């Protein structure tokens, strides 16, 4: 099947199909000698799965991870675990920075609330 037929069958735009392939939500589609996409029955199953997962509101990353695990098998599990651990560490670092910023912001808000009561703005930590 060509891209126009698949697009019509699954009610997706051709750009959406190209996007699914480009970001890795479906495996790379074989090309004809002239360079056109040639969707096999298996490719269509991936397109249908990708459409269902997106319709369910699942993030693109979930589909990409599922596809990689399906194609590459279990030997990639340790490397993928390490990647997820790294991502978690990055998020925890961001969380710490956000919490620190919130603490400073809350202190400033407290100072201004006190200033509204007393009419005097003070940055003395003991007065909070």
């Amino acid at each position: 099947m060509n891209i126009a037929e698949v697009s019509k069958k699954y009610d997706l735009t051709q750009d959406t199909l190209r996007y699914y392939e480009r970001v890795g939500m479906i495996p790379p589609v074989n090309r004809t000698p002239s360079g056109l996409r040639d969707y096999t029955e298996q490719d269509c199953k991936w397109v249908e799965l990708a459409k269902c997962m997106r319709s369910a509101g699942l993030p693109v990353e979930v589909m990409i991870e599922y596809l990689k695990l399906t194609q590459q098998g279990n030997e990639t599990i340790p490397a993928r675990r390490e990647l997820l651990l790294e991502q978690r560490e990055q998020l925890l670092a961001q969380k710490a920075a956000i919490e620190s910023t919130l603490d400073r912001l809350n202190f400033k808000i407290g100072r201004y609330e006190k200033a509204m009561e007393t009419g005097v703005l003070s940055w003395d930590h003991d007065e909070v």
Side-chain angles (χ1 to χ4, degrees):
M1 293 178 80
N2 65 34
I3 194 168
E5 294 167 329
V6 174
S7 173
K8 184 176 180 181
K9 180 178 180 178
Y10 293 102
D11 193 29
L12 295 167
T13 67
Q14 292 182 23
D15 285 340
T16 298
L17 291 170
R18 288 184 198 100
Y19 169 77
Y20 284 177
E21 183 180 0
R22 187 175 64 249
V23 300
M25 288 177 65
I26 63 173
V29 177
N30 291 327
R31 303 287 199 268
T32 64
S34 61
L36 299 175
R37 287 173 172 81
D38 184 23
Y39 288 83
T40 64
E41 185 179 326
Q42 185 60 39
D43 293 329
C44 289
K45 289 179 182 177
W46 282 110
V47 169
E48 186 174 9
L49 180 61
K51 181 180 178 181
C52 288
M53 291 182 89
R54 291 300 294 145
S55 295
L58 293 173
V60 171
E61 294 80 10
V62 171
M63 184 65 192
I64 294 169
E65 288 297 316
Y66 178 77
L67 176 67
K68 286 179 182 175
L69 187 60
T70 302
Q71 287 186 322
Q72 297 169 352
N74 292 337
E75 70 271 5
T76 63
I77 290 174
R80 297 178 118 14
R81 179 183 171 274
E82 288 303 314
L83 178 62
L84 292 172
L85 289 171
E86 289 174 18
Q87 290 174 344
R88 180 177 64 183
E89 290 303 316
Q90 291 171 356
L91 287 172
L92 288 172
Q94 290 174 356
K95 178 183 173 188
I98 290 169
E99 287 174 345
S100 173
T101 302
L102 281 172
D103 287 344
R104 290 192 310 271
L105 182 60
N106 285 334
F107 173 76
K108 289 179 182 178
I109 291 170
R111 295 291 82 214
Y112 280 94
E113 287 173 347
K114 185 74 170 178
M116 289 175 64
E117 292 173 10
T118 64
V120 178
L121 182 60
S122 170
W123 294 105
D124 186 0
H125 286 275
D126 296 332
E127 292 183 23
V128 176

